[in-house]
Amino acid sequence: MINLETPKKHRVLVDQAHQVAMNMLRPISRKYDQAEHEYPKELDMLAAMIDGLSDSGSNEGAGATGVRRDESADDGSVKNGANLASVLSIAEMCWGDTGLLLSMPRQGLGNSAIASVANDEQLKRFEGTWAAMAITEPSTGSDSASITTTARLDGDEYVLNGEKIFVTSGDRADSVVVWATLDKALGRAAIKSFVVKKGNPGMKVERLEHKLGIRASDTAVITFTDCRVPASDLLGSPEVDVKQGFAGAMATFDNTRPLVAAMAVGCARASLDLTRDLLAQAGIVVDYDRPAQVQSAAAAKFLQMEADWEAAHLLTMQAAWMADNRKPNSLEASMAKAKAGRVGSDITLSCVELAGSVGYSEAELLEKWSRDSKILDIFEGTQQIQLLIIARRLLGLTSAELR
Ligand SMILES: Cc1cc2nc3c(=O)[nH]c(=O)nc-3n(C[C@H](O)[C@H](O)[C@H](O)COP(=O)(O)OP(=O)(O)OC[C@H]3O[C@@H](n4cnc5c(N)ncnc54)[C@H](O)[C@@H]3O)c2cc1C
């Protein structure tokens, strides 16, 4: 049975993450929003603390690498494991600052990709790396099956050629997980991911993007020109299993979409908490025990947003809980991402509206959160793509039958 309260074993972690968000992220939030592309050096100390917690075992695999599915541990019991710990702690950190969470050393989306598909030897070898994830190309965004970056086997190395755009942490990370095709003619089954280390002479960061939100996070354009990587840095199996299709690569998304949903949940929570305080200061108290229609319009709107937030929160917890309990969760991961991505944007922008000029000004962080949350409805699959995946799953249709 699923119990949707925060499990007792994760409460300390949630508490710690909340303290870090409040005392370490919030105070530097505006600084790095304004100083786009400047590295938030304060995060180095924080990352060292998180490493220390992991080493001491008191952090139980939370964070980007916590998404690995442990098939060997299937003793039939119900688990509140590392996936749940990850979404809970990420939501708290994004209550502090989403851009800074995305800039945390060793917590990149590439780390989740490694945790999802690497074999045991690779997992050990890449332990401690900070990995970005590069899927998107100038001509390929939502349709990730049509990527054109190529990987050709030459002796005991693969040679990568292509261009990747919008790579989060692409400049700062120690390595980039690059999606490339071994043979375009074999379709999506031939898409594999490769770990390319910073400093590889074939990999070049061309430029950094200026953005609407999450400005603390660097977003890079990277080119690969005859970029040679050891064959052993192809993640998982090099076999092209046409029957399995895209399943291997897509397993990453089942694990990362709940994390992105958790970011939206955390950022929206920050907006709700601050807006409730600002409303109270203006004499509008939201009463959770009385029907919305007998309260002021502002309070009624606030209660509707709380309901939306709760739905997003529960779907996110469910998707992570299913991963912890080795249940297929593609449908639920997309549902969580679609709901949290959409209501995250709606809530943060509505909070700006409810707070009026205070919401729009830089005196508070509400305007920043409305900018930061938009990306969470775009990357790791847009709103429309999540709805498409949900429809396919519910109707039992393939990607060729419903596009
Ligand atoms: C700040 C930022 C950070 C990013 N970080 C990363 C990263 O780290 N790694 C990475 O690989 N990528 C990253 N991305 C890229 C991101 O994943 C893509 O932008 C996203 O997948 C959408 O692709 P696109 O921009 O090419 O839009 P398109 O795919 O061109 O879509 C444009 C619009 O059409 C809609 N659409 C597309 N296809 C369909 C369809 N079949 N049915 C209905 N509607 C459809 C989309 O939902 C969207 O609204 C990042 C992007 C940004 C802005």
Side-chain angles (χ1 to χ4, degrees):
M1 253 272 282
I2 185 166
N3 176 348
L4 293 166
E5 283 177 19
T6 303
K8 218 188 275 169
K9 73 184 264 203
H10 293 328
R11 282 186 203 153
V12 174
L13 173 70
V14 168
D15 225 45
Q16 280 171 345
H18 190 77
Q19 292 303 321
V20 166
M22 188 162 58
N23 299 315
M24 298 180 82
L25 301 189
R26 282 273 179 101
I28 57 171
S29 209
R30 182 65 77 189
K31 174 181 166 188
Y32 288 105
D33 181 46
Q34 287 168 345
E36 193 175 20
H37 298 164
E38 194 175 306
Y39 177 65
K41 53 188 180 318
E42 293 88 342
L43 295 183
D44 285 341
M45 192 177 71
L46 187 52
M49 273 168 54
I50 291 173
D51 290 347
L53 285 173
S54 299
D55 290 347
S56 69
S58 43
N59 199 13
E60 213 221 358
T65 56
V67 299
R68 191 168 180 84
R69 296 196 182 203
D70 184 2
E71 304 297 340
S72 64
D74 194 1
D75 58 4
S77 65
V78 172
K79 289 188 179 55
N80 292 317
N83 283 278
L84 199 56
S86 297
V87 299
L88 289 168
S89 59
I90 282 173
E92 288 303 328
M93 294 287 275
C94 289
W95 181 90
D97 192 292
T98 307
L100 291 170
L101 178 275
L102 285 165
S103 309
M104 285 291 294
R106 295 179 286 287
Q107 303 292 326
L109 286 171
N111 289 94
S112 299
I114 292 173
S116 300
V117 292
N119 59 37
D120 290 344
E121 180 275 323
Q122 290 171 328
L123 193 69
K124 220 171 156 37
R125 195 151 44 85
F126 294 126
E127 197 183 326
T129 191
W130 176 6
M133 174 127 119
I135 303 169
T136 309
E137 300 178 353
S139 56
T140 310
S142 297
D143 185 12
S144 45
S146 356
I147 57 166
T148 57
T149 297
T150 53
R152 179 177 50 81
L153 189 61
D154 181 24
D156 55 4
E157 290 178 323
Y158 283 99
V159 184
L160 269 55
N161 278 289
E163 180 178 355
K164 296 290 179 182
I165 59 172
F166 287 104
V167 184
T168 298
S169 301
D171 187 38
R172 296 173 185 162
D174 318 316
S175 52
V176 181
V177 175
V178 182
W179 282 27
T181 174
L182 296 180
D183 183 350
K184 205 74 187 113
L186 292 177
R188 49 185 62 193
I191 294 175
K192 300 285 172 185
S193 48
F194 301 81
V195 179
V196 184
K197 297 200 182 83
K198 196 175 192 164
N200 185 315
M203 175 166 85
K204 184 170 174 224
V205 173
E206 300 287 346
R207 66 165 196 276
L208 299 179
E209 301 291 356
H210 293 282
K211 310 188 296 290
L212 173 75
I214 57 160
R215 290 188 181 152
S217 162
D218 65 314
T219 308
V221 172
I222 307 179
T223 51
F224 299 87
T225 311
D226 293 332
C227 176
R228 304 187 81 87
V229 297
S232 57
D233 289 357
L234 178 157
L235 290 175
S237 164
E239 296 304 315
V240 177
D241 181 351
V242 183
K243 268 195 246 105
Q244 202 205 13
F246 213 19
M250 291 312 256
T252 307
F253 287 137
D254 295 346
N255 295 335
T256 52
R257 284 176 178 155
L259 303 184
V260 177
M263 293 175 201
V265 165
C267 188
R269 188 70 253 160
S271 289
L272 287 169
D273 289 351
L274 177 55
T275 302
R276 193 181 42 222
D277 289 351
L278 292 171
L279 288 176
Q281 284 166 29
I284 300 164
V285 175
V286 179
D287 186 342
Y288 289 80
D289 294 326
R290 285 169 60 230
Q293 69 270 25
V294 299
Q295 300 190 47
S296 67
K301 172 73 185 169
F302 194 90
L303 287 170
Q304 176 234 313
M305 293 196 291
E306 283 280 21
D308 270 343
W309 182 87
E310 191 66 29
H313 176 235
L314 294 179
L315 283 168
T316 304
M317 301 258 280
Q318 181 193 31
W321 182 89
M322 290 176 78
D324 276 339
N325 288 280
R326 295 162 302 282
K327 294 177 190 299
N329 72 337
S330 299
L331 172 65
E332 291 76 11
S334 284
M335 284 178 162
K337 170 77 167 69
K339 181 75 180 174
R342 183 167 56 77
V343 306
S345 289
D346 287 352
I347 289 172
T348 51
L349 203 51
S350 297
C351 286
V352 169
E353 192 176 306
L354 279 182
S357 54
V358 174
Y360 198 77
S361 84
E362 290 190 358
E364 298 290 351
L365 289 164
L366 286 175
E367 62 80 29
K368 177 181 182 299
W369 294 331
S370 74
R371 290 185 283 111
D372 287 350
S373 65
K374 189 63 213 171
I375 188 57
L376 306 172
D377 204 22
I378 296 177
F379 67 11
E380 294 297 292
T382 63
Q383 174 69 211
Q384 292 77 9
I385 294 303
Q386 303 307 331
L387 295 182
L388 195 56
I389 294 169
I390 294 165
R392 280 181 198 141
R393 294 258 161 196
L394 293 178
L395 299 171
L397 299 173
T398 64
S399 51
E401 289 164 335
L402 188 63
R403 18 173 109 238

